[in-house]
Amino acid sequence: MLNYALLVHAAPYSHQAALSALRFADAIVTGGHRLAAVFFYHDGVHNASALMSPPQDEIHLAEGWKRLHEDHGTQLLVCIAAGLRRGLLNTDEANRHGLASHNVEAPFELTGIGQLVDAMLNNDRLITFAP
Amino acid sequence: MLNYALLVHAAPYSHQAALSALRFADAIVTGGHRLAAVFFYHDGVHNASALMSPPQDEIHLAEGWKRLHEDHGTQLLVCIAAGLRRGLLNTDEANRHGLASHNVEAPFELTGIGQLVDAMLNNDRLITFAP
Amino acid sequence: MQLHLLNRSPQSTAVYRDLGEAFGADDQLLLIEDACYAALPAASGVIEAFGGRVSVLEEDLVSRGLAGRVSPAITVVDMKGFLALTETHERCVSWF
Amino acid sequence: MQLHLLNRSPQSTAVYRDLGEAFGADDQLLLIEDACYAALPAASGVIEAFGGRVSVLEEDLVSRGLAGRVSPAITVVDMKGFLALTETHERCVSWF
Amino acid sequence: MTNIRASDIEPQDLMVVLRHPPHGSHWLREGIDVALVAAAFGQRVGLLFQGDGVYALLEGQQAGALGQKGTHPQLAMLEMYDIESLWVSAAALSERGLSIDDLMLPVKPLGAEAVAELMQVQPHTLIF
Amino acid sequence: MTNIRASDIEPQDLMVVLRHPPHGSHWLREGIDVALVAAAFGQRVGLLFQGDGVYALLEGQQAGALGQKGTHPQLAMLEMYDIESLWVSAAALSERGLSIDDLMLPVKPLGAEAVAELMQVQPHTLIF
């Protein structure tokens, strides 16, 4: 059994890479390995949006990521610097910025780039999916 | 005097194109022309996010677009199909989808692709800025 | 008579080829953003297809440190010049 | 020994060139997403730099209508095969 | 195949140039959406498949994993929307080792001169 | 310029490959951010400038319109973070008509074989 982490740079519904990442995540856990964490960076932070509302006959990517956390304990880490710029905030950050709405909810966590470095050093494999 | 419309495909804070579009918008109105509308499509819909919170020493793109509307009456049109998928909703759409938060507010309007076709046919120039 | 806008570096050869195919005898090309690198002499092979009707946006050149390096065949325009090009060309097509 | 992932079409020649420079004698290349088009015989000029150590992801081939068109020098792998490649290679580097 | 001559080209109200391959990104899908909506609004719409956009026409495409629909079902709807002016760059096809026989729709191949001419005569062009 | 030989390369804890030019996108900036944070966490970090990434090193870059900072101020901070293993692809430079003298930082030029060797010996590599 190996420990994997994923790094996702691609926005959902713009590039296949977000879907490829979720497909590969399924392959990891089905293959008997552990997916410790997914780190969302660059435009990948939009995968964490609680507001995404795709048509009903298309996959809901944020739900797909959440299911990984629920079923396998995978950490869903969103780069806070990349996210704030792009409009991804949890309630804490919304309060800090005086905003009444938020769009990042547990199990997605806003976190620093240090967690990406940790994920790389503390797992056997880091696989990147970019647009 | 010419009537201009812009089509913006680029996400803010990922590609210069969103900034180029805003620069060119300023040049249009400073140059004595009218900027009738900006249509946000593809990842350009993220320009409309009321939640974007860039560092204080960086430009706030959504505020830049809003100022164009306030000072020059420019319509800010966000493609609803591209936006909903990517997590951009106003209060109406949030209610319709059972979501407690929203991130698109006036003067940004969620609208259909037909408005892009209108903007193209009813203005003298349509200039596209893509990533 | 069209104005073509292009924002990719000359290493994105596919977009330069497709644009070359679509470029008319009276068309103009304006290089913006990362297409500024195509204004360097090293990219002259990619640019010669556009028959000397090429300009480049000054502010994007300057920010990239390219101001003193532009090939003599290419005209440098500022933001007003960009606007003027869109005034005189009925259509503007953006390649990316 | 590295596994390289690539997801751009062979018209994105710059990324193929940079990857070629970085490709080691025991490395493997897996083509996914739009890089599947590099598995066609027409792209053999771009692919030969990788010395026969190239595979392509089956599901991305099939969705693009390329299943019957793959160059014989290239190995087709399914999602399990993709996972297996990452198991046997300590490092996986993604080019885009 | 015989390429169409420039003189055979009829101007449309809107020309959409498709340069991206299917499945990998949403460019192709969002470009076709614009064409379909414009046609539904009564505009005459033409499509040019250029560069990697010619792959959109390849026979035998399928839905992808996780329910990705692809763009071939959209292309199958063009006729219903009276979008029948379909052009393809002959150079783009041949560079990719493809011919008209590999394609799912009847498209007119254009030589380089005709591509430039096609662009000249259209009042509105959008590139995706 | 004399290219560095493969045998002169020391492995780092993390290798960041920068392939994108400055200003046009956030790739370069977000890649350098990862390098700086990893260094701040005590990792030995090396940078390889490859492809259009070599433009990041060009002398004379400035802030852009609308307050775009660019990446040259970030590069000026590398030394403070003890990031001193800076490599550049010699082929990428010469294809762009540039030489080491055009660059703002002291970087070591690598021939193609040395680039491949550099990649082999690093335990972790991220590409931006």
Side-chain angles (χ1 to χ4, degrees):
Chain A
M1 198 215 57
L2 295 170
N3 290 303
Y4 281 78
L6 301 185
L7 170 58
V8 177
H9 289 310
Y13 308 107
S14 297
H15 196 281
Q16 192 189 341
L19 290 157
S20 297
L22 187 56
R23 278 287 288 163
F24 189 71
D26 286 336
I28 290 170
V29 294
T30 309
H33 300 292
R34 176 166 164 263
L35 179 56
V38 183
F39 191 90
F40 299 97
Y41 196 39
H42 193 79
D43 278 342
V45 296
H46 292 297
N47 280 278
S49 173
L51 301 184
M52 67 170 70
S53 309
Q56 295 203 335
D57 60 347
E58 289 183 35
I59 189 170
H60 192 297
L61 270 159
E63 293 297 332
W65 294 118
K66 259 157 93 169
R67 212 156 30 237
L68 267 179
H69 170 83
E70 286 157 12
D71 297 349
H72 305 281
T74 301
Q75 283 191 296
L76 304 177
L77 308 170
V78 181
C79 175
I80 190 166
L84 287 179
R85 272 195 182 81
R86 291 172 173 89
L88 278 288
L89 308 89
N90 57 16
T91 48
D92 280 359
E93 290 299 325
N95 290 340
R96 199 189 317 271
H97 287 84
L99 295 163
S101 278
H102 69 279
N103 56 358
V104 177
E105 288 170 4
F108 290 97
E109 309 168 43
L110 290 175
T111 180
I113 292 173
Q115 290 264 51
L116 167 61
V117 177
D118 275 353
M120 193 167 52
L121 298 177
N122 298 328
N123 289 288
D124 301 301
R125 299 287 185 275
L126 175 78
I127 318 283
T128 301
F129 292 88
Chain B
M1 198 215 62
L2 295 171
N3 290 303
Y4 280 79
L6 302 185
L7 170 57
V8 178
H9 289 310
Y13 308 107
S14 296
H15 195 282
Q16 193 189 341
L19 291 157
S20 298
L22 188 57
R23 278 288 287 165
F24 190 70
D26 287 335
I28 290 170
V29 295
T30 310
H33 299 293
R34 178 167 162 262
L35 178 56
V38 183
F39 191 89
F40 299 96
Y41 196 38
H42 193 78
D43 278 342
V45 297
H46 292 296
N47 281 276
S49 173
L51 301 184
M52 67 171 69
S53 310
Q56 295 204 332
D57 60 347
E58 289 183 35
I59 189 171
H60 191 297
L61 270 159
E63 294 296 332
W65 295 118
K66 260 158 94 169
R67 211 155 32 235
L68 268 179
H69 171 84
E70 286 157 13
D71 298 349
H72 306 281
T74 302
Q75 284 191 296
L76 303 177
L77 308 171
V78 181
C79 175
I80 188 165
L84 287 179
R85 271 194 183 81
R86 290 172 173 89
L88 279 289
L89 307 90
N90 56 17
T91 48
D92 280 1
E93 290 299 326
N95 290 338
R96 200 189 317 271
H97 287 84
L99 295 164
S101 279
H102 68 280
N103 56 357
V104 177
E105 288 171 4
F108 290 97
E109 309 168 42
L110 290 174
T111 181
I113 292 172
Q115 292 265 51
L116 167 62
V117 177
D118 274 355
M120 192 166 54
L121 298 177
N122 298 326
N123 289 289
D124 302 301
R125 299 288 185 273
L126 176 78
I127 317 284
T128 302
F129 291 89
Chain C
M1 214 176 74
Q2 303 166 93
L3 172 66
H4 298 271
L5 284 187
L6 175 57
N7 70 349
R8 293 289 177 99
S9 112
Q11 304 300 315
S12 306
T13 45
V15 67
Y16 284 77
R17 190 162 61 243
D18 290 350
L19 166 55
E21 194 177 51
F23 197 71
D26 298 314
D27 289 0
Q28 288 280 339
L29 169 59
L30 174 63
L31 307 169
I32 66 171
E33 302 171 13
D34 287 343
C36 288
Y37 297 111
L40 298 182
S44 57
V46 173
I47 284 299
E48 69 186 4
F50 305 101
R53 300 188 303 286
V54 183
S55 32
V56 60
L57 185 61
E58 184 171 31
E59 63 183 43
D60 286 347
L61 271 182
V62 170
S63 65
R64 286 166 179 77
L66 306 178
R69 297 174 176 269
V70 179
S71 177
I74 292 175
T75 310
V76 178
V77 302
D78 62 10
M79 211 63 201
K80 272 190 186 169
F82 179 2
L83 183 66
L85 281 167
T86 68
E87 290 167 359
T88 52
H89 291 78
E90 268 188 28
R91 270 165 295 133
C92 177
V93 183
S94 298
W95 300 80
F96 56 92
Chain D
M1 212 175 74
Q2 302 166 93
L3 172 67
H4 299 271
L5 284 187
L6 175 57
N7 70 349
R8 293 289 177 99
S9 110
Q11 304 299 316
S12 306
T13 45
V15 66
Y16 284 78
R17 190 163 60 244
D18 290 350
L19 165 55
E21 196 177 50
F23 198 71
D26 298 315
D27 289 359
Q28 287 280 337
L29 169 59
L30 174 63
L31 307 168
I32 66 170
E33 302 172 15
D34 287 344
C36 288
Y37 297 112
L40 298 182
S44 56
V46 173
I47 284 299
E48 68 187 3
F50 306 102
R53 299 187 304 284
V54 183
S55 33
V56 59
L57 185 61
E58 184 171 32
E59 63 183 46
D60 286 347
L61 270 182
V62 170
S63 64
R64 285 165 179 78
L66 306 178
R69 296 172 177 272
V70 180
S71 177
I74 292 176
T75 310
V76 178
V77 302
D78 62 9
M79 211 63 202
K80 272 191 187 167
F82 180 1
L83 183 66
L85 281 167
T86 67
E87 290 167 358
T88 51
H89 291 77
E90 266 187 32
R91 269 165 298 135
C92 177
V93 183
S94 297
W95 299 79
F96 55 93
Chain E
M1 66 201 180
T2 321
N3 294 343
I4 301 297
R5 280 169 314 176
S7 55
D8 297 332
I9 293 168
E10 257 184 78
Q12 310 292 309
D13 297 317
L14 168 63
M15 172 81 172
V16 177
V17 181
L18 301 167
R19 293 187 60 251
H20 283 82
H23 284 290
S25 72
H26 265 229
W27 287 116
L28 186 60
R29 175 199 284 230
E30 295 185 324
I32 301 171
D33 277 345
V34 171
L36 295 175
V37 169
F41 278 44
Q43 304 294 308
R44 282 175 313 158
V45 178
L47 299 182
L48 168 64
F49 297 86
Q50 202 198 15
D52 282 343
V54 304
Y55 288 129
L57 293 164
L58 206 58
E59 278 279 17
Q61 293 173 64
Q62 299 185 22
L66 301 178
Q68 299 166 69
K69 287 182 240 173
T71 46
H72 52 291
Q74 272 179 304
L75 290 183
M77 290 165 61
L78 293 177
E79 204 186 342
M80 223 171 73
Y81 283 76
D82 295 323
I83 300 178
E84 286 166 354
S85 296
L86 307 177
W87 293 286
V88 64
S89 157
L93 271 185
S94 71
E95 279 167 20
R96 288 163 183 78
L98 301 175
S99 80
I100 290 287
D101 299 333
D102 295 308
L103 308 183
M104 60 184 277
L105 291 176
V107 291
K108 299 173 204 120
L110 297 179
E113 255 177 66
V115 169
E117 178 63 20
L118 178 68
M119 298 285 290
Q120 290 301 316
V121 300
Q122 307 300 334
H124 296 289
T125 301
L126 289 177
I127 301 194
F128 282 92
Chain F
M1 67 200 180
T2 320
N3 294 343
I4 302 298
R5 281 170 312 176
S7 54
D8 297 331
I9 294 168
E10 257 185 78
Q12 309 293 310
D13 297 318
L14 167 63
M15 171 81 172
V16 176
V17 181
L18 300 167
R19 292 188 60 252
H20 284 81
H23 284 290
S25 72
H26 264 230
W27 286 116
L28 185 60
R29 175 199 284 231
E30 295 184 324
I32 301 171
D33 277 345
V34 171
L36 294 175
V37 169
F41 279 45
Q43 303 295 309
R44 281 176 313 158
V45 178
L47 299 181
L48 169 64
F49 298 85
Q50 202 199 16
D52 282 342
V54 303
Y55 288 129
L57 293 164
L58 205 58
E59 277 279 15
Q61 293 174 64
Q62 301 185 21
L66 301 177
Q68 298 165 70
K69 286 182 242 172
T71 45
H72 50 292
Q74 272 179 305
L75 290 185
M77 289 164 61
L78 292 177
E79 204 186 341
M80 221 172 74
Y81 282 75
D82 294 322
I83 300 179
E84 286 165 354
S85 296
L86 307 178
W87 294 286
V88 63
S89 157
L93 271 186
S94 70
E95 280 167 19
R96 287 162 184 79
L98 301 175
S99 79
I100 289 288
D101 299 333
D102 297 306
L103 308 184
M104 60 183 278
L105 290 177
V107 291
K108 297 174 205 121
L110 297 179
E113 253 176 69
V115 170
E117 178 63 20
L118 177 69
M119 298 284 290
Q120 290 301 317
V121 299
Q122 308 301 333
H124 296 289
T125 300
L126 289 177
I127 301 194
F128 282 92

